[in-house]
Every structure is written in structure tokens, then in C-alpha cells.
Amino acid sequence: ALPKPRKMGAPGVLLADKWQEGKTNPTGWWMSEKLDGVRAYWDGRTFLSRLGNEFPAPEYFTTDLPRDTVLDGELFGGRKKFQFTVGVIKNSLKAAQWKHLTFQVFDAPKLGQPFEDRLQYLEDHFGEAKGLEFVRVVEHVKCKGVGHLQAKLA
């Protein structure tokens, strides 16, 4: 069993902007898939929710995560598996079930660099070529215009 979750300080995560057709030009925005997971902030020791609730993960799941870099992403159990994912991370008796999750990383917010450089850092350290078992980098693409955005949403 995992330790009981603790309430920590809220990490102050970034939230996505909402596109409003006809009101906002998305050209130049970074786009990524909206995953159906649980937002998780890796502080170098543990996962935290947006509100600062701890998600104690088994050691085997966090082995490849840095101790000196903050990461922002989602704990993800797969498409249409949100309730399963929540059940795993909120139940300390389900440590073995974490093997069905991945940490989908989309930012390293404390690096003090522009977003593009942070994305490159993520690819360099956690990208597909690294072969990490439980860590994935969420793909981002720069929006070329409304048509590009609508094609991605289709």
C-alpha cells in the first residue's frame, strides 16, 4: 500500500486558453491533444493536484522522473478511462494498478526558459527515444490558422 495522501500547497499550474471562433485568432498558438486524465504536477518528490492534494505514486512509477526539475502533465490511463485513472491515483491500495498509467508531460514550468525551449528540454530528457516506461511527452504543434485548428478538432 502507498502512504496516505497529504494536502500540500497548490502548485499554481498554467491553464489552457479557450479558443472562441470569430473572436480569437489561434495562429501561432501551441496546440496539444486534450487528454482525459488527471492533472498532475511533479515537484521532484511527489505528484500534486492543481489544488495541492498529493497523489502518492509507487517508486517503480517515479524512477525515471527528475528530482531537480518540476514537470506539469497528466496521469493518464487511456482514452475513456478517466474514472479508472481517478480510482488508481486516489486509492493507496492500488499501487500495482499504476502500471496501467503514464505520466503525460506537457511542460517544465520552472526552467525559466521560453515555452519552445522547455518543449525541447522535455523531448531531450523524456522523449520517445529515451524508452521510458511510464513517461510520455505530449506532442505540441504550432497552429497555422483557423483551418489547421478545425482540422485538429475534427
Side-chain angles (χ1 to χ4, degrees), residues 112-130:
Q113 300 173 0
F115 185 66
E116 292 81 357
D117 294 341
R118 298 193 315 261
L119 287 179
Q120 188 60 55
Y121 169 88
L122 295 177
E123 279 300 325
D124 291 347
H125 290 82
F126 311 104
E128 210 172 304
K130 296 293 181 184

Side-chain angles (χ1 to χ4, degrees), residues 26 29-33 139-145 148-150 152:
W29 284 15
W30 285 99
M31 301 186 299
S32 63
E33 179 181 0
E139 179 186 18
H140 289 76
V141 295
K142 203 167 243 189
C143 184
K144 297 174 185 166
H148 183 209
L149 173 63
Q150 289 174 330
K152 285 287 187 184

Side-chain angles (χ1 to χ4, degrees), residues 62-89:
T62 63
T63 298
D64 293 325
L65 294 173
R67 302 297 175 221
D68 61 349
T69 305
V70 169
L71 300 174
D72 193 3
E74 289 198 14
L75 294 168
F76 184 63
R79 288 176 180 79
K80 301 187 187 278
K81 293 189 175 184
F82 178 75
Q83 290 303 326
F84 169 77
T85 304
V86 170
V88 170
I89 65 173

Side-chain angles (χ1 to χ4, degrees), residues 35-100:
L35 300 171
D36 197 16
V38 175
R39 185 75 176 264
Y41 185 89
W42 173 254
D43 70 358
R45 188 185 59 77
T46 192
F47 288 109
L48 300 171
S49 74
R50 291 188 332 197
L51 301 177
N53 296 312
E54 185 179 25
F55 301 138
E59 188 175 326
Y60 72 82
F61 191 86
T62 63
T63 298
D64 293 325
L65 294 173
R67 302 297 175 221
D68 61 349
T69 305
V70 169
L71 300 174
D72 193 3
E74 289 198 14
L75 294 168
F76 184 63
R79 288 176 180 79
K80 301 187 187 278
K81 293 189 175 184
F82 178 75
Q83 290 303 326
F84 169 77
T85 304
V86 170
V88 170
I89 65 173
K90 290 197 172 191
N91 187 334
S92 62
L93 299 177
K94 292 191 174 185
Q97 295 298 308
W98 279 76
K99 68 183 176 200
H100 299 294

